[in-house]
Amino acid sequence: MSNNSKQITLLATSDIHGYIYPTNYLDHQDQNLGLAKLATIIKAKKEQHDVVLVENGDLIQGSPLTYYHAKYQSESDNPMVKVINHLQYDASVFGNHEFNYGLAYLQATIKQSNHPWLAANIVNQQGETIGDPYLVKYIDGVKVVVLGITTDYIPNWEKTQHIKGLQFRNPLETAKRWVRDLKQEERPDVMVVAYHGGFERDLATGEPTEELTGENRAYDICTQVAGIDVLVTGHQHRSLAEKQNGVAIVQPSHQGRGLADVQIDLVYENGKWQVVDTKPTLISIDDTVEADEQVLELSRKQEHTTQQWLDQPIGKIDGDMKITNPFQARLREHPFIEFINKVQMEAAGVDISNTSLFTNTIPGLSSHVTMREIIANYIYPNALTVLRLSGKDIKEALEQSATYFQLNQDGEIVVNPAFVEPKPQHYNYDMWEGIDYQLSISNPVGERVVQLNYHGKPVDQNQQFDVVMNHYRATGGGNYTMFQGKPVIKEISTDMPELITDYLFKRETIAPACNQNWKVIK
């Protein structure tokens, strides 16, 4: 580079979800994921380039390692923070899952960090941001400003006590105001917005790709906010590296499977460094990338303890409760689904429950159940909520679930593409216990519930029922708006993995059952 031109590099991770070692915790086989493998690339990049390194949210929750730490070792140093401190991250952005273990746990995480946590749109009752709103970093005379913003949809998912006293302001309006003010007051040479949220519209056409609830606002931000050079996104677990409206946009997958890399070219003109080009790319982890030994060593003891805990025997299944075909398990009741609903019903003391099969990789339970299997099946730290619902609410919820399916050109039932792209949302299809129902997919959307009975009698829309479900669903998450504002009869604070463990411990051996109380037909 000449004296009047420079190149700097922005590196970003997002949605690491507690993965350091290259393992998915389902078995002991190495996988192409995790911060230890990313660290190898990050360190090499830092040796070659002037770098700004940003973590874009959902760092401290999502794996057995972080679950075990939060539940049993919270007084010890956070394993994720140890690694990002070692890698000398410049900043972290708050993700929605940062709040899953409560404010005290999050505050301890922030205190251990050697860098600021950014959230310009999350404020306390005094209107003060809970972290820093932005970061200023000088690289060889170039002034880089990184503004941190988080999806404001968090109150629709999170337990009230975990976000008590916090306000989540509109990301788009926050970006408009802060970018405008920062351009005037800080006069950055490079303006970066790191947003823990995703794209609500197709990048090519601008057409909505989801219901426009406000959960994701990245398209609006990069098309309506002037002055942004780079927009880092996340939350949707997508792999993106392109330009939109002249803005370099990146989203580096999840679980440490990718690293966003944006080369920023500048020239010195009129007494100031000017961005003349940005080149967004995504570096994917593959078999050629070795895990960094220093990073592995930092968390080796905690990883070993977690692995021992995962291999702890819990109970036995006298029969078959494995998921071999997730699609079929969503068409007609599977013993594993009935088992989960029964656990919820016993914990809540009610006789109606709903649950989902979270992903297509959920394995079900083998004959000898370990903690590893329980965590592999119930991958979220969800607690339970009991809502009082009307028959009308239940029917509307079933109709929403029925949108998961459609008929293809051959008249076969298939998954609605909206539940697969741009982000898989298999967890937004629920299956119920305690009622009898049928969904007919050949019927128009909104008219697919063709049978709905309770104790052998048709459900009246004005009847009242107490229903247990996970907290995410009870707050209306997944477009289940019919649940919002309904009376909360009971909240069970114990997370589902612990409830499943207790259920198995008490019985030692479970005989799978399946009463076939529901099915999906053409």
Side-chain angles (χ1 to χ4, degrees), residues 117-183:
W117 284 70
L118 309 180
N121 68 317
I122 306 177
V123 299
N124 59 23
Q125 291 174 320
Q126 290 73 45
E128 304 163 333
T129 56
I130 63 168
D132 292 352
Y134 64 94
L135 165 80
V136 176
K137 181 174 181 178
Y138 287 91
I139 300 180
D140 194 22
V142 175
K143 187 176 185 179
V144 181
V145 170
V146 181
L147 176 68
I149 302 176
T150 303
T151 176
D152 64 339
Y153 214 61
I154 291 172
N156 292 287
W157 306 311
E158 193 52 74
K159 296 178 184 177
T160 303
Q161 63 267 34
H162 287 176
I163 53 174
K164 186 176 181 181
L166 298 182
Q167 299 174 31
F168 297 83
R169 294 176 174 171
N170 184 294
L172 176 61
E173 297 306 316
T174 299
K176 287 179 178 178
R177 179 172 66 86
W178 275 96
V179 171
R180 179 196 65 214
D181 292 349
L182 288 169
K183 298 286 279 188

Side-chain angles (χ1 to χ4, degrees), residues 395 398-399 401-407 416 438-451 521:
K395 183 179 183 299
L398 290 171
E399 292 288 1
S401 275
T403 64
Y404 179 80
F405 299 107
Q406 66 181 35
L407 298 182
N416 181 345
Q438 286 188 25
L439 306 178
S440 177
I441 308 308
S442 61
N443 286 0
V445 169
E447 301 176 18
R448 291 177 167 179
V449 178
V450 294
Q451 175 189 319
I521 60 176

Side-chain angles (χ1 to χ4, degrees), residues 34-62:
L35 265 177
K37 285 203 167 192
L38 284 181
T40 299
I41 299 174
I42 291 170
K43 288 182 177 181
K45 287 283 182 180
K46 283 192 168 190
E47 290 179 357
Q48 300 164 4
H49 304 281
D50 295 319
V51 167
V52 179
L53 179 58
V54 176
E55 159 48 35
N56 196 47
D58 283 2
L59 175 72
I60 63 173
Q61 178 279 335

Side-chain angles (χ1 to χ4, degrees), residues 2 46 77 88 129 142 159 171 223 236 264 277 295 308 311 338 360 370 410 426 428 430 485 495 502:
S2 63
K46 283 192 168 190
D77 290 342
Q88 297 181 324
T129 56
V142 175
K159 296 178 184 177
T223 56
Q236 293 174 314
I264 304 168
D277 194 16
V295 168
Q308 287 184 313
D311 287 328
E338 182 161 315
N360 283 341
T370 63
D410 297 324
H426 303 293
N428 282 331
D430 288 338
D495 289 344
D502 291 343

Side-chain angles (χ1 to χ4, degrees), residues 4 189 267-274:
N4 69 336
D189 301 315
V267 296
Y268 195 75
E269 293 179 346
N270 302 319
K272 189 180 188 303
W273 288 104
Q274 308 275 357

